[in-house]
């Protein structure tokens, strides 16, 4: 006899889906576009999703890039922005011609698959949303080509409006054509900084200077010198200047902090590095490893981009950031095509031999060492009031002291004996624990502006490798979504009829100094009781 | 128990930590053994509610919480009072049930008409049925509280061993004499088992069967909004609160029964139920429909067959105390720890009637009680007929 089903549990509950998609491709950057087109040519029905143009409200939160309050009001006009995104990505038209179902301005905020604590879903589900509502789609396979976001690293005054990231600047200038600045200082003389400088000059903007804490890297240095931009290597930022917004930056040679000088600018673009977007992999339960040569935490994949979760593939920068890939989007596109062919083959289609992986020109550099150099050049005990988590106003001192947030009063004497080192004596430092105690990373930007630097600071303070601090978990919704949007407008009547606050066990809410009465088992009584408080 | 005797507490959740803290306060040497990080599982990821009039520990819960910051020395974010929001007249009628239980014990419930409710909770809609202001109960920050317990234990000389998994319990002459772990053996004069969903696995080492079924439940969190006077406002099928930071943290709805394969707790994921949570929160607080959800989380809790705690000292081995709070442990933890410490030291609790929370009440339980109740994992893939819970609609 089959077991009865607990009606208040998730067992048998239906979650209506808007459609079933054989292959989802997440992200319409170089990797995702190439993957979608290739998969469609292989004969798969493909839906290609991209969140751009994102809502201006998200741009204001620095989601998904660090926009630094440097986009003009045109971003509020979504139809216009959609036209610009299409214009900036001519391959989108090619994808449509190839039969790809392209959806722009759609957020992928959650993924729900079978796992150790989730067995009730009949199909893998992806949560999607636009500005008005959310919905679910089911899928057979998904290629995640979610790209990379800006690595935010603190320096004195980095929380002033006008400080943005490389991808934020690229989106503002090229994708949205809605950049509100005129004169930029670029931080980072590597290929990423070079790209920002070139893009800015092409758009007719002035690049006042390029600043790096290191020496000029071999890659791209020749090109950089031809741009006619003053380059300040082995310099650090001492302050940002301005009343409310950025009006300039003060820098000084590392070797001679006293020799500081000011550069006038309205925008500072932090182009030190990018962070692979692994959030969807984390939700899906894909094993993620620490690979400093690939920019940090990345999903474990095979040569064709298969993750170890069946049906989930990774392509492009979300699987790893290298100088070669930043300089040449064709590498991401090639990875997208390989993942598409793998998906098509796994779907049982007769696809020709897989594309060979392109040769790697040079062994990728250890990006972690570079990140540490940048952070150590700008943040130390003498500048402990530098803000680390801007949403929750957690300064360096608060973070390393494991201090409660500022809205709480507490006994300072008690906390004098408590800090990161005393906590480390109790066991390995865990960023999720630090997050809970200090709130660093708990804010509305969902940790995008501090996750990586908190990890670095915890590791540096503990004299331990960066990768020894485990990845703090990502949580749905992966984009901040209004209650009215996330709301299950399509919820089933069965869900409503069987909804309980907490388990619906009648005896739990009757006086526990008396035995459970027999009548508590009756359905009517339990209906009343399960509405009870917890 | 003789003076100088030492106690090993298995489980660094709210219940185990509180028990250890109370033992430390009495000068008993204590070691807490925790397989991961203190408060990492359900104790650190719940609604933070401290309003349990159905529990014999209710009065002690209410007495202790206002003092906890001072007693522990670290902030818990405890806030007194609760507000029950009733969107429909039906909800209002149901809320009377809980109110009656508290009023019978001498606690005050203030009925609120829609206007009075709106003054306290400006987020409610025009058609809200009414509400109640509970002059008892409250809420605290679970994450901060579990760490406060842990630090307070250390301040009193107690030991907390994190990342230490119990592998066995040595029994001699009817008493537990040592706890074996993957980090070494700990000699002891008494043992407290407060291992949450893992309680049954630990007590099985003693040949004692504790009927608990683990399940996953989930919550959502919004960005901060301006503080209202009493943040502990919930209803409409949700439990939760506005935190002191201003975030709204709410849970409720379908749970998922799971299986624990070993000593580890698998990462509890979220489900599409998060959308239904958002719907109920927007229904309860229609003026906050624009407020953004920024996070969700899930946790694993255990339930006994009648949903009530087991707080008991075993007869054999006679120096072992077992505790499961049956999925409602955080808020009651100041009181449950006090009761459990008394069971360890004196063999009985002098401030609450725990008669009906003994393990023996499950003496006649069928071996397949979980299947009988439907409290077992359910997989769409394993259904005899093709279940299409994701029926496509256009």
């Amino acid at each position: 006899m089959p077991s009865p089903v607990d009606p208040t549990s998730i067992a048998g509950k239906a979650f209506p889906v808007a459609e079933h998609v054989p292959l989802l491709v997440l992200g319409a950057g170089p990797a995702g576009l190439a993957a979608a087109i290739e998969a469609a040519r292989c004969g798969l029905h493909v839906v290609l999703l991209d969140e751009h143009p994102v809502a201006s409200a998200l741009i204001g939160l620095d989601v998904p890039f660090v926009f630094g309050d440097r986009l003009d009001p045109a971003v509020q006009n979504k139809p216009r922005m959609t036209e610009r995104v299409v214009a900036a990505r001519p391959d989108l038209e090619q994808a449509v011609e190839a039969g790809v179902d392209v959806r722009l301005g759609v957020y992928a905020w959650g993924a729900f698959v079978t796992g150790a604590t989730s067995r009730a879903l009949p199909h893998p589900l992806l949560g999607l949303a636009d500005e008005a509502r959310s919905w679910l789609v089911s899928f057979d396979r998904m290629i995640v080509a979610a790209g990379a976001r800006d690595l935010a690293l603190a320096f004195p005054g980095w929380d002033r409006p006008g400080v943005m990231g490389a991808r934020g600047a690229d989106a503002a200038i090229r994708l949205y054509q809605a950049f509100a600045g005129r004169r930029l200082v670029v931080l980072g003389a590597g290929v990423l900084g070079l790209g920002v400088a070139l893009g800015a000059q092409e758009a007719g903007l002035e690049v006042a200077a390029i600043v790096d804490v290191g020496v000029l890297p071999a890659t791209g240095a020749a090109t950089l010198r031809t741009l006619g931009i003053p380059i300040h290597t082995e310099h650090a930022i001492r302050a940002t200047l301005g009343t409310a917004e950025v009006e300039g930056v003060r820098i000084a040679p590392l070797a001679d902090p006293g020799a500081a000088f000011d550069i006038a600018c309205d925008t500072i673009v932090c182009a030190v590095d990018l962070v692979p977007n692994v959030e969807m992999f984390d939700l899906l339960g894909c094993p993620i490893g620490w690979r400093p040569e690939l920019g940090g935490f990345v999903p474990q994949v095979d040569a064709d981009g298969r993750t170890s979760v069946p049906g989930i593939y990774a392509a492009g920068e979300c699987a790893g950031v290298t100088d070669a890939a930043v300089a040449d989007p064709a590498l991401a596109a090639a990875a997208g095509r390989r993942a598409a062919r793998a998906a098509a083959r796994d779907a049982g289609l007769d696809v020709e031999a897989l594309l060979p992986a392109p040769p790697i020109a040079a062994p990728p550099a250890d990006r972690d060492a570079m990140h540490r150099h940048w952070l150590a050049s700008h943040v130390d005990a003498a500048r402990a009031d530098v803000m680390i988590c801007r949403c929750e106003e957690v300064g360096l001192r608060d973070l390393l002291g494991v201090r409660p947030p500022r809205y709480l009063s507490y006994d300072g004497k008690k906390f004098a004996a408590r800090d990161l080192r005393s906590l480390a004596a109790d066991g390995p430092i865990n960023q999720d624990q630090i997050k809970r105690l200090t709130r660093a990373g708990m804010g509305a930007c969902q940790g995008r502006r501090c996750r990586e630097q908190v990890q670095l600071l915890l590791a540096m303070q503990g004299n331990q490798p960066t990768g020894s601090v485990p990845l703090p978990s990502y949580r749905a919704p992966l984009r901040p979504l209004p209650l009215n949007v996330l709301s299950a407008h399509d919820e089933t009547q069965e869900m409503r009829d069987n909804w309980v606050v907490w388990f619906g066990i009648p005896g739990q809410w009757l006086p526990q100094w008396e035995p459970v009465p027999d009548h508590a088992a009756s359905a009517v009584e339990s209906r009343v009781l399960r509405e009870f408080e917890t | 128990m003789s003076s100088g005797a030492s106690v090993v507490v298995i489980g660094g959740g709210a219940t185990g930590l509180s028990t250890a803290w109370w033992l430390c306060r009495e000068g008993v040497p204590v070691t807490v053994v925790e397989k991961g990080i203190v408060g990492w599982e359900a104790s650190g990821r719940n609604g933070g509610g401290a309003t349990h009039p159905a529990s014999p520990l209710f009065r002690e819960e209410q007495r202790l919480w206002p003092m906890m910051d001072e007693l522990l020395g670290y902030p818990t974010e405890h806030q007194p009072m609760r507000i029950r929001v009733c969107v429909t007249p039906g909800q209002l009628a149901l809320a009377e049930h809980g109110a009656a239980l508290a009023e019978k014990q001498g606690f005050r419930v203030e009925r609120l008409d829609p206007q009075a409710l709106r003054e306290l909770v400006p987020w409610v809609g025009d058609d809200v049925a009414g509400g109640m202001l509970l002059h008892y109960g409250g809420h605290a920050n679970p994450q901060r509280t579990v760490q406060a317990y842990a630090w307070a234990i250390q301040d009193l000389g107690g030991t907390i061993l994190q990342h230490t998994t119990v592998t066995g319990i040595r029994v001699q002459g009817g008493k537990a004499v040592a706890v074996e772990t993957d980090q070494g053996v700990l000699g002891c004069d008494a043992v407290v088992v407060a291992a949450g969903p893992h309680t049954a696995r630990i007590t099985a080492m003693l040949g004692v069967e504790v009927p608990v079924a683990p399940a996953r439940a989930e919550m959502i969190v919004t960005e901060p909004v301006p503080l209202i006077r009493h943040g502990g406002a919930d209803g409409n099928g949700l439990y939760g609160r506005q935190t002191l930071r201003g975030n709204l943290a709410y849970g409720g709805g379908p749970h998922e029964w799971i299986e624990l394969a070993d000593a580890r707790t698998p990462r509890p994921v979220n489900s599409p139920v998060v959308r239904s949570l958002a719907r109920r929160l927007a229904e309860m607080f229609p003026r906050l429909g624009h407020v953004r959800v920024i996070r969700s989380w899930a946790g694993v809790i255990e339930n006994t067959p009648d949903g009530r705690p087991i707080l008991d000292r075993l007869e054999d081995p006679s120096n072992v105390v077992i505790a499961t709070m049956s999925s409602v442990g955080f808020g009651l933890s100041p009181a449950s720890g006090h009761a459990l410490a008394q069971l360890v030291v004196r063999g009985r609790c002098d401030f609450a009637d725990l008669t009906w929370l003994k393990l023996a009440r499950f003496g006649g339980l069928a071996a397949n009680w979980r299947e009988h109740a439907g409290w077992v994992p359910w997989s769409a893939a394993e259904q005899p007929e093709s279940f299409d819970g994701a029926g496509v609609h256009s």
Side-chain angles (χ1 to χ4, degrees), chain B residues 180-243:
Chain B
E180 298 166 351
T181 78
D182 58 355
Q183 307 291 316
V185 177
L186 303 162
C188 61
D189 300 294
V191 172
V192 176
V193 182
H198 295 279
T199 298
R201 192 178 54 80
I202 302 290
T203 60
M205 296 171 182
L206 299 165
V208 174
E209 203 174 315
V210 173
V212 285
R216 178 186 63 78
E218 53 199 311
M219 299 187 70
I220 59 171
V221 180
T222 72
E223 63 189 326
V225 295
L227 292 181
I228 58 172
R229 201 183 313 163
H230 304 295
D234 62 10
N236 198 37
L238 302 175
Y239 63 91
R241 72 195 202 282
Q242 180 182 39
T243 70

Side-chain angles (χ1 to χ4, degrees), chain A residues 370-386:
Chain A
M370 176 183 66
H371 302 169
R372 281 177 173 242
H373 188 196
W374 269 94
L375 202 51
S377 301
H378 291 114
V379 172
D380 55 34
R383 286 165 286 188
D385 52 348
V386 169

Side-chain angles (χ1 to χ4, degrees), chain A residues 6 10 117 119 392 418 426 437 446 475-476 481 483 488 491 496 499-500 502 507-508 512 514 532, chain B residues 54 98 144 154-155 162 216 237 245 253 255-257 275-276 279-280 291 293-294 296 308 326-327 382:
Chain A
D6 173 3
I10 199 170
T117 63
R119 299 181 61 203
E392 298 296 312
R418 301 283 171 196
D426 296 337
L437 295 174
Q446 300 180 310
R475 297 283 168 182
L481 293 180
L483 284 168
E491 189 178 81
R496 290 191 84 72
W499 186 276
V500 293
W502 191 247
Q508 192 156 33
Q512 295 182 1
E514 297 166 3
F532 221 154
Chain B
R144 223 167 280 295
Q154 290 177 333
D155 289 348
Q162 298 189 123
R216 178 186 63 78
R245 170 69 176 97
H255 46 270
E256 177 158 1
W257 298 104
R275 297 179 66 230
S276 295
R279 174 175 174 148
R280 276 157 189 76
V291 171
V293 180
I294 58 171
S296 63
R308 298 177 169 196
S326 195
S327 77
E382 288 164 15

